[in-house]
Amino acid sequence: DAGITQSPRHKVTETGTPVTLRCHQTENHRYMYWYRQDPGHGLRLIHYSYGVKDTDKGEVSDGYSVSRSKTEDFLLTLESATSSQTSVYFCAILGRGNTGELFFGEGSRLTVL
Amino acid sequence: GESVGLHLPTLSVQEGDNSIINCAYSNSASDYFIWYKQESGKGPQFIIDIRSNMDKRQGQRVTVLLNKTVKHLSLQIAATQPGDSAVYFCAESPNSGGSNYKLTFGKGTLLTVNP
């Protein structure tokens, strides 16, 4: 358990509304990630952060923005949600030590109607 | 739980048998590989990793084999148990840490263990 909390765990929203998912970690890890998971696609990286105010795009960043104003929180925002953004979203942090192991949260299921 | 793979490759084995899950990767520059296990309704969990300067690494009941020539990775699970039923993902990276570190995941394989 790397002290990762995602919220909300489940959300249903309508097309065109803004949505923000929050990832909170308690162990001062530097690197944080947002992935989405869809049937047939596995996990795809949306955005990641390598420090406060330092973020970069992943392979499926269109339609998403992120913010990291403090070490413990990494926010994923859908400015105007679309049905194609219906997915399960996972936050992850990079563990310390010699491995590149990512520790994942429990996921947030988002349904856009 | 969450539905994570309606169109996944599947592997069905009998309890006690050995399982082999395969993964092909495309980036010849990948230097670091990880296998993850994901149970229904949960986030992925680390199983084992291997760097490109190795071709085999063993853990508890699991072995990862790396063939860089054909860009193939496999996960072997010995004496498969019902608790091993899950979706298994391989992941790759051009490095094992440092700046700009990120993992690229494969699409996953669903392992079902029959009692």
Side-chain angles (χ1 to χ4, degrees):
Chain A
D1 183 1
I4 304 170
T5 306
Q6 291 186 228
S7 60
R9 293 290 314 279
H10 301 271
K11 185 172 181 67
V12 179
T13 192
E14 293 189 347
T15 298
T17 60
V19 176
T20 295
L21 305 180
R22 179 187 185 225
C23 179
H24 179 77
Q25 53 121 341
T26 58
E27 299 184 4
N28 209 34
H29 292 277
R30 179 181 173 193
Y31 285 78
M32 298 183 75
Y33 304 81
W34 276 108
Y35 283 87
R36 61 177 288 175
Q37 186 170 37
D38 306 286
H41 291 280
L43 289 139
R44 293 179 292 174
L45 182 64
I46 305 172
H47 282 280
Y48 66 103
S49 171
Y50 46 95
V52 173
K53 292 188 168 50
D54 291 323
T55 65
D56 205 350
K57 296 179 180 180
E59 61 180 300
V60 290
S61 60
D62 286 350
Y64 301 95
S65 62
V66 289
S67 65
R68 183 114 179 257
S69 60
K70 46 186 178 177
T71 300
E72 57 265 38
D73 287 326
F74 190 32
L75 304 181
L76 177 70
T77 297
L78 291 66
E79 300 290 348
S80 178
T82 67
S83 58
S84 65
Q85 293 176 309
T86 292
S87 187
V88 180
Y89 292 86
F90 286 97
C91 174
I93 59 97
L94 176 63
R96 297 188 182 89
N98 253 357
T99 75
E101 178 181 358
L102 296 188
F103 293 88
F104 285 83
E106 292 295 294
S108 296
R109 174 176 276 279
L110 175 66
T111 302
V112 184
L113 302 176
Chain B
E2 314 295 357
S3 171
V4 298
L6 298 179
H7 308 290
L8 288 177
T10 59
L11 175 64
S12 183
V13 301
Q14 291 297 124
E15 181 177 359
D17 287 352
N18 296 333
S19 303
I20 299 176
I21 301 170
N22 296 303
C23 176
Y25 63 94
S26 56
N27 187 356
S28 56
S30 289
D31 181 58
Y32 180 66
F33 305 87
I34 301 183
W35 279 100
Y36 277 87
K37 172 186 180 183
Q38 186 176 29
E39 296 174 334
S40 182
K42 297 185 177 181
Q45 289 186 299
F46 174 93
I47 302 173
I48 191 167
D49 63 352
I50 189 168
R51 287 185 169 78
S52 62
N53 61 353
M54 304 172 68
D55 52 23
K56 180 179 180 179
R57 190 162 189 227
Q58 288 185 289
Q60 189 177 14
R61 274 201 312 119
V62 295
T63 300
V64 55
L65 299 178
L66 174 63
N67 185 330
K68 296 180 287 294
T69 302
V70 296
K71 292 187 282 189
H72 185 267
L73 194 66
S74 68
L75 177 70
Q76 300 178 359
I77 305 173
T80 314
Q81 302 166 1
D84 294 326
S85 293
V87 177
Y88 289 81
F89 293 95
C90 63
E92 59 181 297
S93 172
N95 51 45
S96 61
S99 62
N100 213 35
Y101 177 75
K102 50 190 173 182
L103 279 175
T104 301
F105 284 79
K107 292 179 172 46
T109 296
L110 174 63
L111 175 65
T112 302
V113 182
N114 302 308

